[in-house]
Each structure stands twice: as C-alpha cells, then as structure tokens.
Amino acid sequence: QKVGSSEAALLAKLNIRPFSYGLTITSVYDNGSVFEPAGLMVSYAVSDYLSMSAGDFSEFVVSFFLMAYWGLPFGLSYCICVVVLKWILVGKTRPGIYKWTPWRAARYWLVDQLLSNFIFQSFCTVYLNGGYLMAGLMRVLGTKVGHNGFLALPFLRADCDLITVGDDVVSGSNNYYINRRFLGDNVEFLPIELKDRCVLGGTITLLGGAIVGFGATLGEGSMLDFEIPENSVYIGTPAVLIKAAKKSLARSVGSKKSRVWISEPNAMVDAPKRPVQMSYPILVPWLLLFLELAIPLLLGIPMMPAYLVWLYASKAFGATVAYAFIPACLVVGVVIFALMIVVFKRLIIGKFSEPESPIYGFVFLKWTLYQALIAIFDELLALQFSGTPIVPMWLRLMGAKMGKNIYYDTYPPEETDLITVGDDCIIQKESALLPHLIDNGALRFAPIKLGKRCIIGVHSTVMSGSVLNDGSEVGAGGLLMKGEELPANSIWHGNPAVFLSMKTAQNFV
C-alpha cells in the first residue's frame, strides 16, 4: 500500500521505518560456479580470531614467535661476522711498540666500532651476559679466560688478545679494558691480567699494564694502571689502597673445572667464616642458556594482544589507517609486559631477602634471568620515562618503598624490595643504586635507605647496605661504599666518597 509524502514525513519524524529498499543476494555466480552468499560476508569481530581453527591458530602463533626471535639469529650472525672480521683485519695483537699508520688505525677503529655497536652490546646483554656464555665469546675473540668465573658485560676492543683472566674471577658490568697507549706517531700495546679469585666491581677502567693480584678486590668505578698485591682492596680514580692483607696461605685443590679454594685460618683479612664453592655442575650453564633463550618468548607474549589489535584495525579500517594504531599497540604491549614482570617477580623471584647465594646457585639463576628481563624493560620504558612520576609508580609496584615528590632520572635497580627512598629525593641521570654485591664467590643482598631530601649526583653509585640520612648528598661521580652511613645534611664526593662539608642555610630551598 502506498503512502503519500506527508505520511512518509510523519513516519520519519516518529522514527518508524516500516519499509526497506535494496537488493537481496540469493546466490553468487562466479566463473561458472554458483555458491551461497555467506562466503562474501566478512566479519571484523575479535571473536573470529579467537575461534579460528587449531591449524590456523598454531600457524599464527609460530609465525609471531619467529618474529619475536628475530633478534637471536640476527645477533648471532652479527657476532660471527665481528669475530671473523677481527681475525681477518687485526689478527692476534702482541705486546710491543708499533707505528700507528693510517692503515693500522683504520683496521683497529673498524673492529672497535663493531665491538661497541648497539647490536653487539644488546645481543650480549640479553643472551650472553654471565660467566659461561660471555667467557666463551671472549675466548673466540682471543682473550685468555679461566674457569668457574662470572664475567658480566665488558667493553672489549680489537686488542682483547692482551687480556688474561684467571680462574674464579668475578667481574662486574661495563668495565673498560684499554690495552693501547699512544706515544706520538707510535702505539704501545700492553697486557692486562686478572689473576685467580680477584673481584672487580662495575664501570672500572683498566689501562695497559694493570695487574689485579690473586684474591684482590678492585672497587666500583676505579681506574687502575699498575699492579696491586694479592688479597688487597683498592678503590678510587686512580685506585688507592683501602685495606692490605697478610700473606695469603690459600691453595687450590682439584682440577681446573672443579676447583675449590681453601684458606688457612686467619690467612687473609676479613677471611670468610666458611668457604663458598664457585664450581658448578656441568648442566647449570646449559640451564642458564635455556633461560636466556626463553626471554624473547616472554617478550612475545605481551606483544601478541597488541598485534591482534593492529590486525583488527587493518581489516576494519584498511592498512593505511591501521598504521595510526601502531603507537597505541606499542603502549598496550609495554603495559602488558610491565604487568607480566610484576607477576613474574612476585611468583618466581619473590622478595630479595636471601642474605647470600652461591654463584650459579638456584637464587643466582633466577636473579640472572630477572636481570635480563629488566634490561629489556629499561630500554622499552624506563629510558623513555625516566624523570617522570611513572618510574616511582613502577618501583612501588615492584616492592620499593617510595615517598612523595621523587625525581628518579636513571635506570631502576633489580632488587626493588631492598630500596627505600624518602620524600623529595633527587636521583640524577646515570646514577646507580646497587643492593647486590658479588663477594667471596657468593651473591649477597643488603638494603639501601635514603631519607628525606637526599640527592644522588650524576654518575654516582650507592653500594649495598648504605644509609643516607635526611638531607645528605653524594656529589657527581661519587661512590658510596657498602655499609656506609652518611650523617644528616652532609655532603660527600669522590671515589670513594669522602666528607666535604655540612649543608648551610644557603643549601636549603
């Protein structure tokens, strides 16, 4: 029955639409075939991806995690190329004085750049950081490395053949080995030796001719260009003697692969009450390798929902518009990754309350895996948002006790449960809070406490067990040694940090 224009207008105002117009597809003819129109219907519901067949879903998961693991073959192939080029261009470096010709300079410069490249350093940080794997790479590059040590990420150069590392050596990360010294138009290559059982902190600079004696300790951030005696403790820039030792009566028992060090009573200053065995079962390094290789898998899990969001957007709005969703997808992935780390820490790691753990013990393995996860997260989030309120919020989620109005402009520590930061504190760029310490073959933890209005300067380091009372300050480049306590409103600087002055009325705002 027809209606007039006035009736149609009235029905439209009442939002009554009794009629519909258009074509209804009953069958589809294509190239001689007739089929149902349901094959043309495309749905953009997320449920379609969740209800895909087992084969399609498995193919999707496998292809995605192959994308997540792209860094492993790429980084491995890069390392192989670096090793090959090192031996082709430079070969074996021997001690002595040589003419620094443009050709020699170009060869050493190129290998130096390849070894310090972001790709090489990132691959070593994620996959090789640790004694067994890092030592293997150093041996391939020509470094003489002993057994049963723990070598964190070092900065190597083309002349790393001149480095000798003994048995049971513990070395922190970001240590520089400078084997060459320039003499006008000539260059002198000098060896560097780390003898058995010595301990090195992080961010140390070892110049040519440096020798760290048996059982000696070189503190965090030190610079050394001479020989230090056995079982002594040096620290500073340049390194100075902090603690001497009596003549060592230590001796080794067993083969190199399963060595145990035995010290006679009172043989060394601060000798441990009980020896800590640094040797480990042969399966432990392979377990550590397996855990390190699992990291991209863990990284791929939070990125899968982000990828599904992008896939949905590309089908619903087209590929061109979907590229505008990439920042939102990355935010989704990073947030999920952050929450996953929180859950991983609470369920697998728990609280860092163990007083000590032998190297390559169970706690040490969990700590190493957690370090690698945090290193990736630092690059994704902490580096981008350092100095903003997001970092203190993240630290609270991870168990740290954080006050109000905190300016945190550096990488967060791994052992967040052991960090206490009071109100109005300032922690400046490239500084480090280190609640962990590898000492006498064991990984040890101790809390770090900052009172109110404390300041940690640029490139400063606060070691485990340190306490900064209200208003205290560590100047730029300072190193606060383990277990030290700073009085309220005091200013300290230097490596190691020494008292400078007390704050006056002009120091307070």
Side-chain angles (χ1 to χ4, degrees), residues 162-282:
L162 301 174
I163 302 172
T164 301
V165 181
D167 298 332
D168 304 314
V169 171
V170 175
S171 177
S173 59
N174 302 326
N175 290 339
Y176 290 84
Y177 298 85
I178 313 297
N179 295 85
R180 69 193 73 157
R181 181 174 61 181
F182 293 96
L183 307 170
D185 294 335
N186 299 324
V187 61
E188 182 179 12
F189 293 102
L190 298 168
I192 294 175
E193 183 177 2
L194 310 179
K195 295 189 176 180
D196 297 343
R197 274 206 107 194
C198 65
V199 177
L200 281 71
T203 61
I204 288 175
T205 302
L206 294 170
L207 302 180
I211 300 177
V212 182
F214 172 89
T217 299
L218 188 59
E220 184 94 7
S222 300
M223 186 277 290
L224 182 69
D225 60 351
F226 56 91
E227 181 177 0
I228 63 177
E230 63 178 26
N231 298 318
S232 57
V233 179
Y234 277 71
I235 193 171
T237 51
V240 295
L241 178 65
I242 298 297
K243 185 179 294 184
K246 297 179 181 179
K247 184 177 180 180
S248 172
L249 300 178
R251 56 191 176 88
S252 62
V253 177
S255 63
K256 287 186 177 180
K257 292 187 178 181
S258 59
R259 177 167 296 188
V260 180
W261 293 94
I262 301 176
S263 298
E264 301 296 338
N266 301 321
M268 294 181 289
V269 173
D270 293 336
K273 295 181 179 179
R274 59 181 179 85
V276 179
Q277 185 173 345
M278 291 183 61
S279 60
Y280 46 84
I282 190 63

Side-chain angles (χ1 to χ4, degrees), residues 5 19 24 47 75-76 91 100 115 152 156 160 302 318 331 339 379 409 414 424 472 498:
S5 58
F19 309 106
T24 301
S47 59
L76 186 60
W100 192 244
L115 288 171
L156 301 173
C160 57
V331 170
L339 296 177
E379 298 296 333
D409 193 20
E414 293 89 2
D424 304 310
S472 56
V498 295

Side-chain angles (χ1 to χ4, degrees), residues 20-327:
S20 61
Y21 303 92
L23 298 175
T24 301
I25 302 175
T26 58
S27 299
V28 177
Y29 174 81
D30 180 43
N31 198 22
S33 300
V34 179
F35 52 89
E36 295 295 323
L40 297 178
M41 304 303 292
V42 180
S43 173
Y44 302 114
V46 177
S47 59
D48 289 354
Y49 300 107
L50 300 179
S51 60
M52 64 176 63
S53 65
D56 294 339
F57 183 75
S58 61
E59 183 180 352
F60 166 75
V61 172
V62 169
S63 62
F64 183 84
F65 283 115
L66 286 176
M67 293 172 57
Y69 269 98
W70 73 272
L72 178 59
F74 180 74
L76 186 60
S77 60
Y78 182 87
C79 286
I80 294 173
C81 292
V82 171
V83 172
V84 172
L85 287 174
K86 187 265 180 190
W87 288 108
I88 292 176
L89 296 177
V90 175
K92 184 176 180 61
T93 303
R94 293 176 172 82
I97 300 177
Y98 302 90
K99 192 72 173 178
W100 192 244
T101 60
W103 172 234
R104 185 187 298 275
R107 289 183 290 136
Y108 276 84
W109 174 86
L110 178 59
V111 177
D112 287 345
Q113 294 302 312
L114 292 174
L115 288 171
S116 60
N117 188 277
F118 173 77
I119 300 173
F120 182 82
Q121 294 296 324
S122 299
F123 179 78
C124 292
T125 299
V126 176
Y127 296 105
L128 305 181
N129 195 9
Y132 183 80
L133 302 175
M134 196 68 225
L137 176 62
M138 293 174 68
R139 290 189 186 102
V140 172
L141 289 169
T143 306
K144 305 174 187 67
V145 182
H147 299 277
N148 294 356
F150 177 77
L151 305 174
L153 181 67
F155 286 101
L156 301 173
R157 305 179 79 187
D159 46 16
C160 57
D161 316 82
L162 301 174
I163 302 172
T164 301
V165 181
D167 298 332
D168 304 314
V169 171
V170 175
S171 177
S173 59
N174 302 326
N175 290 339
Y176 290 84
Y177 298 85
I178 313 297
N179 295 85
R180 69 193 73 157
R181 181 174 61 181
F182 293 96
L183 307 170
D185 294 335
N186 299 324
V187 61
E188 182 179 12
F189 293 102
L190 298 168
I192 294 175
E193 183 177 2
L194 310 179
K195 295 189 176 180
D196 297 343
R197 274 206 107 194
C198 65
V199 177
L200 281 71
T203 61
I204 288 175
T205 302
L206 294 170
L207 302 180
I211 300 177
V212 182
F214 172 89
T217 299
L218 188 59
E220 184 94 7
S222 300
M223 186 277 290
L224 182 69
D225 60 351
F226 56 91
E227 181 177 0
I228 63 177
E230 63 178 26
N231 298 318
S232 57
V233 179
Y234 277 71
I235 193 171
T237 51
V240 295
L241 178 65
I242 298 297
K243 185 179 294 184
K246 297 179 181 179
K247 184 177 180 180
S248 172
L249 300 178
R251 56 191 176 88
S252 62
V253 177
S255 63
K256 287 186 177 180
K257 292 187 178 181
S258 59
R259 177 167 296 188
V260 180
W261 293 94
I262 301 176
S263 298
E264 301 296 338
N266 301 321
M268 294 181 289
V269 173
D270 293 336
K273 295 181 179 179
R274 59 181 179 85
V276 179
Q277 185 173 345
M278 291 183 61
S279 60
Y280 46 84
I282 190 63
L283 291 178
V284 169
W286 298 106
L287 176 61
L288 181 61
L289 174 61
F290 172 77
L291 294 176
E292 295 283 2
L293 293 179
I295 291 173
L297 182 66
L298 297 176
L299 180 61
I301 292 174
M303 297 308 295
M304 184 182 291
Y307 180 71
L308 286 175
V309 170
W310 183 86
L311 193 63
Y312 173 74
S314 64
K315 287 181 177 280
F317 308 107
T320 304
V321 178
Y323 285 113
F325 285 80
I326 290 180

